[in-house]
């Protein structure tokens, strides 16, 4: 049997029990009220009869006589007539008059005249009035007993009057009054049954038709899953309230638990809210930058038996993947450059071997001297020798090869001065690589006849780790009508398609700015550029990425020269 059915039956049983108990108590109270009214009526009638002067005189006269008159005399006497007249007039069961010893002087059954009453008259003969409910010779009754006082000697009791009303008449009165009780009880029972059915339907709707065991299992599974996964999970109920906000979501978004808050006003990125708008496509994934993290967010509409349960938003951390991608890009770029240069190196070795084989030793020496002066490998980067750090030489050289393949000349500015060594290649790769890639893309898309990208690097020495200043300019068409801060917004991109499969768009500048600011630096636009070139000039400052090598301290960062298109 289903839990909702069990609940319904239990509720119906409770309602029925309550109605029955209430009806019984109500009926009992009505019965007691009718009985009390009968006792009061009997007491009133008994007082009236006992106060009648003729009855008092007749009772006194009989009490003074020795013995009790015979029943036939009593039956024809004035006391019997008066008592019967009062009984018939009021509808009482009996009106009995006794002498001071409790012998009947008047009774509805004349055969019992002269006999002692069946109920104890001592209380009334002692001078007290009393109401009673007992069973006598005429059956159960509710009545009263009142003393009869002598008319000649006040305070002298000469007899008592006993009046009773039949319990059967009380029951008939109760039957007349039971109809409202029954109607009330029936109405209460009907209302209880209707409320139980409505409560059962609401219970089924709230529990989605699930049994308690299933709900308990779901709760355990939900806690285990939500707290055990590294992905962030946010549940938005159909009424727009956040119903689920696991610890991973709080950690990834770097905000406290938002459970119970309204989704539209919650402190979450606006791009997440856009995923749950009515026009949003189900399970559409977007990349967002939240604090220091790059997240992939997707939203899916939740349904259960055609009932709208709201939305479920999933958050996945791609920060490490983005960093690894940058590193792999740098390694891949340098490996491509090295493969291209390997052929040149092999040709140089063959040339030297050719000189040696034909005995041109002087020519071989001269060729070796020329190679020693220019280096065994030559990247297509102008003034690359200004970069003293091997890492920067290799990375910028590799980027130069990549830019050359796209028809862009990568040049190192003459004011470049790097005397220290890169201590944090990962952050340098992320910032420098992104700025160069953006500049190359802008140069390729620009309308200038000559495509070029100029970079200048300047290190600043300090005891806690030096800063690296980077200035990048290009021959593109600049920012156009855009405000400088717009290009740092999450999701902003001018690319129509990724430059490589799987590359995200619109996160680079926002990411590198957050990375630089996390270290206490910044990335900003120095010049917005003009149409036809030169293009925009970006400057980045990354503190703490250079070690203490070198000597001296530089001043402020230099600006990029615009002569020769630079």
């Amino acid at each position: 049997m289903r839990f909702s059915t069990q609940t319904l039956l239990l509720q119906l049983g409770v309602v029925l029990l309550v109605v029955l108990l209430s009806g019984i108590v109500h009926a009992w109270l009505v019965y007691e009220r009718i009985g009390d009214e009968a006792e009061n009526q009997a007491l009133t009638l008994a007082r009236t009869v006992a106060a009648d002067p003729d009855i008092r005189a007749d009772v006194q006269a009989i009490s003074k006589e020795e013995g009790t008159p015979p029943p036939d005399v009593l039956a024809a006497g004035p006391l019997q007539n008066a008592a019967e007249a009062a009984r018939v007039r009021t509808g009482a069961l009996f009106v009995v008059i006794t002498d001071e010893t409790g012998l009947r002087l008047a009774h509805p059954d004349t055969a019992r005249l002269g006999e002692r009453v069946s109920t104890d008259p001592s209380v009334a003969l002692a001078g007290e009035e009393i109401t009673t409910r007992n069973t006598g010779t005429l059956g159960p009754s509710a009545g009263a007993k009142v003393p009869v006082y002598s008319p000649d000697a006040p305070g002298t009791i000469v007899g008592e009057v006993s009046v009773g009303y039949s319990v059967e008449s009380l029951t008939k009165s109760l039957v007349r009054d039971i109809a409202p009780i029954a109607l009330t009880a029936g109405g209460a029972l009907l209302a209880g049954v209707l409320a139980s059915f409505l409560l059962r339907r609401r219970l089924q709707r709230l529990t989605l038709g699930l049994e308690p065991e299933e709900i308990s299992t779901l709760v355990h599974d939900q806690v285990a899953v939500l707290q055990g996964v590294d992905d962030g999970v946010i549940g938005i109920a159909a009424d727009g309230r956040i119903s689920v906000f696991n610890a991973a979501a709080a950690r990834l978004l770097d905000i406290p638990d938002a459970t119970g808050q309204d989704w539209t006003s919650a402190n979450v990125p606006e791009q997440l809210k856009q995923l749950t708008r009515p026009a949003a496509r189900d399970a559409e994934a977007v990349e967002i930058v939240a604090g220091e993290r790059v997240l992939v967010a997707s939203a899916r509409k939740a349904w259960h038996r055609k009932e709208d349960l709201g939305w479920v938003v999933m958050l996945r951390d791609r920060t490490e993947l983005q960093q690894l991608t940058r590193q792999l890009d740098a390694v891949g770029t340098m490996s491509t450059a090295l493969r291209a240069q390997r052929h040149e190196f092999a040709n140089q070795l063959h040339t030297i071997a050719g000189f040696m084989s034909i005995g041109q030793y002087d020519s071989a020496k001269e060729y070796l001297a020329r190679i020693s002066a220019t280096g065994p490998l030559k990247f297509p980067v102008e003034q690359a020798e200004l970069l003293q750090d091997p890492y920067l030489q290799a990375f910028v050289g590799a980027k130069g090869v990549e830019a050359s393949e796209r028809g862009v000349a990568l040049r190192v500015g003459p004011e470049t001065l790097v005397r220290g060594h890169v201590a944090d290649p990962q952050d340098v790769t992320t910032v420098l690589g992104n700025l160069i890639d953006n500049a190359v893309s802008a140069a390729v898309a620009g309308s200038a006849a000559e495509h070029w990208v100029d970079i200048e690097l300047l290190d600043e020495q300090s005891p806690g780790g030096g800063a690296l200043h980077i200035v990048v300019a290009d021959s593109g068409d600049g920012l156009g009508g855009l405000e400088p801060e717009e290009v740092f917004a999450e999701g902003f991109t001018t690319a129509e398609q990724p430059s490589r499969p799987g590359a995200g768009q619109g996160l680079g500048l926002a990411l590198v700015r957050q990375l630089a600011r996390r270290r206490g630096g910044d990335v900003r636009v120095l010049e917005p550029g003009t149409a036809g070139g030169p293009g925009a000039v970006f400057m980045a400052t990354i503190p703490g990425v250079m070690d203490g090598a070198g000597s001296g301290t530089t001043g402020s960062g230099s600006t990029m020269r615009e002569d020769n298109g630079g």
Side-chain angles (χ1 to χ4, degrees), residues 374-433:
T374 60
L377 299 177
K378 184 178 181 181
F379 289 111
V381 177
E382 298 180 16
Q383 303 187 98
E385 64 276 3
L386 296 178
L387 300 173
Q388 300 298 317
D389 180 74
Y391 179 83
L392 290 176
Q393 287 182 352
F395 184 73
V396 173
K399 285 294 182 183
V401 174
E402 192 176 72
S404 178
E405 293 177 351
R406 301 181 64 183
V408 178
L410 181 61
R411 305 181 303 203
V412 177
E415 297 185 16
T416 295
L417 180 60
V418 178
R419 295 163 295 173
H421 298 288
V422 175
D424 193 341
Q426 180 173 321
D427 287 356
V428 173
T429 298
T430 301
V431 177
L432 180 59

Side-chain angles (χ1 to χ4, degrees), residues 325-335 391 395 398-399 429:
T325 301
R326 293 291 179 184
Q327 293 177 350
L328 291 177
D329 285 347
V331 172
T333 301
M334 287 188 287
S335 64
Y391 179 83
F395 184 73
K399 285 294 182 183
T429 298

Side-chain angles (χ1 to χ4, degrees), residues 202-538:
R202 176 170 175 78
L203 183 63
Q204 286 182 324
R205 184 169 63 253
L206 292 177
T207 60
L208 304 178
L210 300 176
E211 296 298 307
E213 296 80 4
E214 297 174 322
I215 296 176
S216 177
T217 302
L218 285 177
V219 171
H220 284 88
D221 292 345
Q222 174 179 313
V223 173
V225 171
L226 294 182
Q227 302 304 326
V229 298
D230 292 332
D231 294 345
V233 180
I234 304 176
I236 300 97
D239 59 358
R241 178 181 51 84
I242 299 178
S243 57
V244 177
F245 200 91
N246 70 342
R251 174 177 54 84
L252 294 176
L253 296 176
D254 194 21
I255 60 176
D257 188 357
T259 303
Q261 297 182 13
D262 183 69
W263 175 244
T264 57
S265 60
N267 185 26
V268 298
E270 186 63 28
Q271 287 178 283
L272 291 183
K273 298 178 182 179
Q274 293 177 357
L275 292 177
T276 61
R277 291 177 179 173
R281 290 182 296 175
D282 194 17
E284 180 181 5
V286 298
E287 287 186 340
I288 65 173
V289 177
E292 302 175 1
R293 301 180 183 275
V294 178
L295 306 178
V296 176
S298 62
R300 185 179 296 276
K301 195 70 174 176
W303 299 88
H304 180 79
R305 298 177 181 176
K306 297 183 179 180
E307 181 178 358
D308 184 5
L309 302 182
W311 289 85
V312 177
V313 178
M314 300 293 298
L315 302 174
R316 297 177 180 86
D317 192 358
R318 286 195 58 183
T319 306
E320 295 182 358
L321 181 59
Q322 285 281 348
Q323 294 173 349
L324 182 59
T325 301
R326 293 291 179 184
Q327 293 177 350
L328 291 177
D329 285 347
V331 172
T333 301
M334 287 188 287
S335 64
T336 301
L338 290 177
R339 282 196 302 269
Q341 297 298 328
R342 179 174 58 86
H343 297 287
E344 181 182 352
F345 186 75
N347 292 333
Q348 292 172 350
L349 290 179
H350 291 157
T351 301
I352 296 173
F355 281 136
M356 297 296 292
S357 63
I358 63 177
Q360 297 292 329
Y361 302 110
D362 293 336
S363 298
K365 290 180 180 181
E366 181 181 352
Y367 186 66
L368 285 173
R370 191 162 57 249
I371 291 177
S372 299
T374 60
L377 299 177
K378 184 178 181 181
F379 289 111
V381 177
E382 298 180 16
Q383 303 187 98
E385 64 276 3
L386 296 178
L387 300 173
Q388 300 298 317
D389 180 74
Y391 179 83
L392 290 176
Q393 287 182 352
F395 184 73
V396 173
K399 285 294 182 183
V401 174
E402 192 176 72
S404 178
E405 293 177 351
R406 301 181 64 183
V408 178
L410 181 61
R411 305 181 303 203
V412 177
E415 297 185 16
T416 295
L417 180 60
V418 178
R419 295 163 295 173
H421 298 288
V422 175
D424 193 341
Q426 180 173 321
D427 287 356
V428 173
T429 298
T430 301
V431 177
L432 180 59
N434 189 277
L435 292 179
I436 293 177
D437 289 344
N438 288 346
V440 170
S441 298
V444 171
S447 58
E450 183 181 0
H451 297 166
W452 49 264
V453 171
D454 281 3
I455 64 172
E456 286 185 355
L457 295 94
L458 187 66
D459 66 338
E460 179 181 353
Q461 302 300 316
S462 62
L468 181 64
H469 303 277
I470 303 171
V471 179
V472 179
D474 59 70
S475 61
D477 293 330
L479 302 182
L482 297 174
E483 292 294 328
E485 288 301 314
E486 291 186 44
V487 299
F488 294 101
E490 296 176 18
F492 175 82
T493 180
T494 58
E496 297 182 357
Q497 59 183 4
S499 57
R500 65 181 186 278
Q505 298 294 339
L507 293 176
L509 289 176
L511 183 63
V512 297
R513 169 175 270 190
Q514 291 195 14
L515 186 151
R517 287 182 173 178
R518 187 180 69 219
R519 286 181 165 273
D522 199 3
V523 178
R524 57 193 176 93
V525 178
L526 288 181
E527 295 290 342
T530 58
V537 180
F538 286 82

